[in-house]
Amino acid sequence: MARITRKSTARAATAAGALAATALVLSACAGGSGGESDDTLTLWHYEGENSAMGIAWDEAIRIFEEETGATVEFEERSFEQIRSTASQVLNSDEAPDLMEFNKGNATAGFLASQGLITDITEAVEEYGWDDQLAPALQTTARYSEEGVMGSGAWYGVPNYGEFVTVYYNKDAFAAAGLEVPTTYDEFIAVLDAFVAQGITPLAEGGLEYPLGQLWYQLALSQADRQWVNDYQLYENPVDWSGEEITYATETLKEYLDAGYFSPDVTGIAAEDAGLSFINGTSPIFVSGSWWYGRFVDEITDFEFGVFPFPGSDLSLGSSGNIWVVPERAANKELAYEFIDITMRPEVQALIGNNGGLPVAADEADITDEKSLELIQAFNAVNEADGLSFYPDWPTPTFYDALVAELQELVNGTKTPAEVQQVLGEEYDSYVADFR
């Protein structure tokens, strides 16, 4: 069997300029990309080795090499590396053959509109991936010529789902005499009870995505499906001083003032926020299902569980990130073969039994009780049409803008109204071209 070449880079984010340089230097040694086709599939993704997807995709690599005789040259890239350097790398001769990429208008949609990733519609029909994916999960795989998700050609394939939920430390709740909240008022009472005991209840990070996702969840608690469609799909103008966004921004400031999360949050990365939950420092973490497998693996001192964000019918979530094939990939057919293997029942079951959310698995194949708990929670959101995507999707630069403006809010250098004004201008300057 061919040998897997595994290259790993630091998962911690660094400055964008350094990331660009790193990506180009590392990709220079990637075989089978941007040049003459050979029997090497160059693969990039940013899932950890002990995550559900990392485990399942390692098995897919083994199957792929055994069945095709080709070699997989895998390079682990951090989320920030791929996000911040994709356009530059994919527009060069150093593009990989297959890459995990963030779904949404501002990410995969933008690359599609720029001609940097391949229209894979024919491959989707040939392999039958459209039959394996529910319509709601196809939204983030298809993009119009302008890069707006939900219609048009296929540019990617998801093989897992994801959503944001509330993780909680069962032992900490029991010690404090607290029950799982089912209403928003009960949720606030839980937060106040921990603060009264000198405990910062929310594990949070403002250096990367977690704080922005909490902000969006607060907005969703005041929103309906039409508001989501307006925000994400540009169906109607979004009022940036309206009830939904004003509530989110002002409530986030209230959370800070009440001591629900650390005042040092602007210097805390997503990894550090997750670690503060893993080590028991903070008993609650509002974040994604992508943490679940890791929590199962690494939390040994207490029992944890999940519950939906109280008082909201809508939750962040969608299909998972998608496999995309760069337009300049040298081995597109090998890329399609690998994607197809990740959709097989045995690989889908691995995702499900290791804390992930498979999109094409038989529930009878999910033998792990803890994993089934997460899958059932996801199914409940999906069946209620609650998946509402992510806050940074509308524009290619909105992730950076949201992180920066919420840092200003936390630091007290801008008021909620000023933050909303800047975010609204950023949003409207891009979205105006689609109306």
Side-chain angles (χ1 to χ4, degrees):
M1 184 174 68
R3 180 176 60 89
I4 300 174
T5 302
R6 183 178 295 273
K7 301 178 182 178
S8 178
T9 57
R11 295 183 67 83
T14 59
L19 287 174
T22 302
L24 289 173
V25 169
L26 289 178
S27 60
C29 58
S33 297
E36 185 176 343
S37 177
D38 57 23
D39 62 352
T40 298
L41 175 74
T42 307
L43 170 67
W44 292 2
H45 73 68
Y46 46 76
E47 305 296 339
E49 284 189 71
N50 64 345
S51 71
M53 281 67 72
I55 292 168
W57 296 348
D58 273 354
E59 175 63 9
I61 289 172
R62 186 195 67 76
I63 295 170
F64 174 88
E65 292 199 325
E66 183 177 83
E67 293 186 358
T68 67
T71 299
V72 174
E73 187 172 276
F74 165 56
E75 297 184 22
E76 181 185 356
R77 302 302 179 95
S78 74
F79 170 86
E80 284 295 315
Q81 285 178 314
I82 290 180
R83 185 190 70 83
S84 62
T85 66
S87 293
Q88 184 178 5
V89 173
L90 297 187
N91 202 28
S92 74
D93 288 335
E94 307 303 336
D97 297 312
L98 182 63
M99 180 173 74
E100 178 189 14
F101 199 65
N102 307 339
K103 68 278 178 197
N105 299 339
T107 46
F110 178 73
L111 295 188
S113 70
Q114 298 297 304
L116 295 175
I117 55 177
T118 304
D119 175 347
I120 62 170
T121 304
E122 289 187 8
V124 169
E125 295 171 352
E126 177 185 349
Y127 285 96
W129 299 326
D130 49 344
D131 294 331
Q132 294 178 279
L133 295 168
L137 299 176
Q138 295 182 19
T139 300
T140 56
R142 302 176 63 189
Y143 296 88
S144 68
E145 292 181 0
E146 293 79 21
V148 180
M149 65 182 180
S151 65
W154 288 73
Y155 283 93
V157 176
N159 64 13
Y160 67 98
E162 63 181 38
F163 75 123
V164 169
T165 189
V166 184
Y167 293 95
Y168 74 104
N169 182 326
K170 291 184 176 182
D171 293 12
F173 270 59
L178 298 171
E179 301 289 334
V180 172
T182 58
T183 68
Y184 185 72
D185 287 344
E186 290 175 357
F187 181 60
I188 293 300
V190 165
L191 299 180
D192 287 336
F194 280 120
V195 170
Q197 296 178 24
I199 297 170
T200 301
L202 294 178
E204 196 52 78
L207 192 60
E208 294 178 320
Y209 65 83
L211 192 63
Q213 291 189 351
L214 177 59
W215 172 85
Y216 187 58
Q217 179 61 73
L218 290 168
L220 291 176
S221 72
Q222 307 301 304
D224 58 17
R225 173 56 58 186
Q226 185 58 57
W227 184 87
V228 173
N229 289 350
D230 293 343
Y231 183 95
Q232 299 285 354
L233 304 180
Y234 320 143
E235 289 186 1
N236 297 291
V238 173
D239 183 357
W240 282 85
S241 60
E243 173 188 358
E244 299 86 358
I245 294 173
T246 298
Y247 175 84
T249 315
E250 291 181 350
T251 301
L252 198 66
K253 180 66 164 59
E254 292 172 3
Y255 277 24
L256 171 69
D257 294 341
Y260 295 165
F261 57 79
S262 170
D264 299 324
V265 70
T266 56
I268 299 175
E271 171 70 10
D272 296 323
L275 287 175
S276 71
F277 181 74
I278 291 172
N279 63 29
T281 301
S282 290
I284 302 172
F285 188 30
V286 181
S287 198
S289 53
W290 50 88
W291 287 97
Y292 198 87
R294 182 172 175 187
F295 288 167
V296 170
D297 189 54
E298 296 186 14
I299 292 176
T300 57
D301 295 332
F302 61 88
E303 293 293 323
F304 79 91
V306 297
F307 60 84
F309 193 88
S312 182
D313 294 327
L314 301 172
S315 302
L316 291 81
S318 69
S319 73
N321 289 320
I322 57 178
W323 291 123
V324 299
V325 179
E327 183 60 36
R328 302 185 71 161
N331 293 302
K332 293 182 180 181
E333 293 301 324
L334 288 180
Y336 302 149
E337 289 185 58
F338 185 85
I339 292 172
D340 194 54
I341 290 172
T342 68
M343 299 293 282
R344 290 184 183 180
E346 64 267 33
V347 176
Q348 288 285 296
L350 272 178
I351 292 175
N353 281 311
N354 286 282
L357 297 169
V359 297
D362 185 338
E363 193 168 298
D365 292 335
I366 309 304
T367 58
D368 181 78
E369 183 176 336
K370 195 69 176 173
S371 296
L372 188 60
E373 174 188 21
L374 182 70
I375 292 169
Q376 291 172 338
F378 174 72
N379 288 343
V381 174
N382 198 24
E383 290 167 5
D385 191 30
L387 296 178
S388 302
F389 314 119
Y390 294 89
D392 56 301
W393 283 12
T395 91
T397 57
F398 210 63
Y399 177 90
D400 294 318
L402 187 59
V403 169
E405 291 306 310
L406 293 184
Q407 288 180 339
E408 297 268 20
L409 178 72
V410 170
N411 290 334
T413 50
K414 285 185 180 177
T415 66
E418 290 170 334
V419 167
Q420 290 170 201
Q421 180 180 353
V422 173
L423 290 175
E425 291 171 352
E426 171 75 18
Y427 177 95
D428 289 336
S429 67
Y430 182 80
V431 174
D433 291 338
F434 299 95
R435 294 205 179 101

